[in-house]
Amino acid sequence: MDYAVPAPVLPTLTVAGRGERFPVNRVFCVGRNYAAHAREMGKDPDREAPFFFMKPANAVVDAARPASVPYPPKTANYHHEIELVVAIGQGGRDIAVADALKHVYGYAVGLDMTRRDLQLEARDKGRPWEFGKSFALSAPIGVLHRAQDVGHPSAASIALMVNGQPRQSSDIDKLIWSVSECIAYLSVYEALEPGDLIMTGTPEGVNAVVRGDVMQGAIAGLGEIQVSVSA
Ligand code: MN
């Protein structure tokens, strides 16, 4: 195939214990999926329907090994959000909650890096969140663990430290909308495809990082990621 311009690189993730890599299609992200985080964002954590935003595939950074991301432009409030990431292996639409986990290839630890000042400005003006959320290299993701190897975690500690100091600490059993419910709900609006990722939302404790900071995130059973912020 001859392309008229250079073709984009397909982002991929490392799969634990396997030679093959996971090709990233789309990145769906759940907003305000832990009550304590909804409250710290100034919103009531009632169980209204989940809502989603997206990141481009070029947001994904393979953080299977210690990685670094550049401090992004046009922000003075660059935030970390530690999240459970779900990788879709089998596509589908109108997926039942009871069937949803069959569509999961695996799980990983990820960061939904956010230009919080741009996100809140957009939110308060009723504008899209793209400039706050959907920029290149804004989703470092660790090693992907296959569900057939690690099962489907429903309770596990999730935590983030910055420069060795605790920032976020919770448990994925506090997700307002479970992995199954997120998959089922999303699949009604958009047919899921192999390679899609779902970032399931962050617990409380989001805060800013600056150049030179080192973030260490972990979810019990899914390992750790280490991501530093470069100039
Ligand atoms: Mn998030």
Side-chain angles (χ1 to χ4, degrees):
M1 170 103 50
D2 287 333
Y3 294 109
V5 299
V9 174
L10 178 68
T12 61
L13 292 172
T14 302
V15 180
R18 308 285 294 181
E20 71 247 32
R21 299 180 62 79
F22 183 86
V24 175
N25 187 21
R26 299 168 297 179
V27 184
F28 295 95
C29 306
V30 188
R32 296 195 290 266
N33 204 17
Y34 289 80
H37 173 61
R39 282 192 287 272
E40 76 180 349
M41 297 303 291
K43 298 294 179 184
D44 287 331
D46 50 14
R47 204 168 186 273
E48 60 183 342
F51 68 93
F52 294 82
F53 58 91
M54 296 181 74
K55 289 175 180 279
N58 77 351
V60 171
V61 176
D62 179 11
R65 286 183 283 195
S68 71
V69 292
Y71 195 94
K74 301 300 286 182
T75 184
N77 200 16
Y78 179 45
H79 272 208
H80 54 73
E81 296 191 355
I82 186 76
E83 309 203 359
L84 170 67
V85 180
V86 180
I88 298 296
Q90 180 189 326
R93 65 172 73 244
D94 298 330
I95 297 167
V97 171
D99 296 330
L101 295 182
K102 297 174 191 164
H103 295 260
V104 175
Y105 175 81
Y107 299 90
V109 183
L111 285 164
D112 166 15
M113 297 304 296
T114 300
R115 292 189 284 208
R116 189 73 70 199
D117 39 5
L118 300 187
Q119 182 209 2
L120 294 183
E121 180 185 8
R123 185 188 79 178
D124 294 343
K125 290 180 175 175
R127 292 177 179 167
W129 286 9
E130 264 77 4
F131 280 0
K133 287 287 196 181
S134 310
F135 51 97
L137 308 179
S138 62
I141 295 174
V143 174
L144 194 50
H145 296 267
R146 296 188 305 169
Q148 68 183 85
D149 296 330
V150 299
H152 296 278
S154 57
S157 65
I158 178 170
L160 182 83
M161 295 193 300
V162 177
N163 303 332
Q165 300 300 310
R167 287 278 188 93
Q168 295 187 264
S169 180
S170 186
D171 195 291
I172 62 169
D173 68 2
K174 293 187 170 63
L175 283 168
I176 296 172
W177 294 94
S178 70
V179 169
S180 295
E181 290 169 329
C182 289
I183 289 170
Y185 186 89
L186 186 54
S187 74
V188 174
Y189 286 83
E190 184 74 13
L192 293 176
E193 299 172 356
D196 288 340
L197 300 177
I198 302 174
M199 303 190 76
T200 56
T202 196
E204 69 276 18
V206 299
N207 211 328
V209 287
V210 298
R211 293 171 180 84
D213 281 350
V214 178
M215 299 175 281
Q216 289 174 285
I219 296 175
L222 300 178
E224 297 185 357
I225 56 171
Q226 178 175 312
V227 179
S228 57
V229 182
S230 61

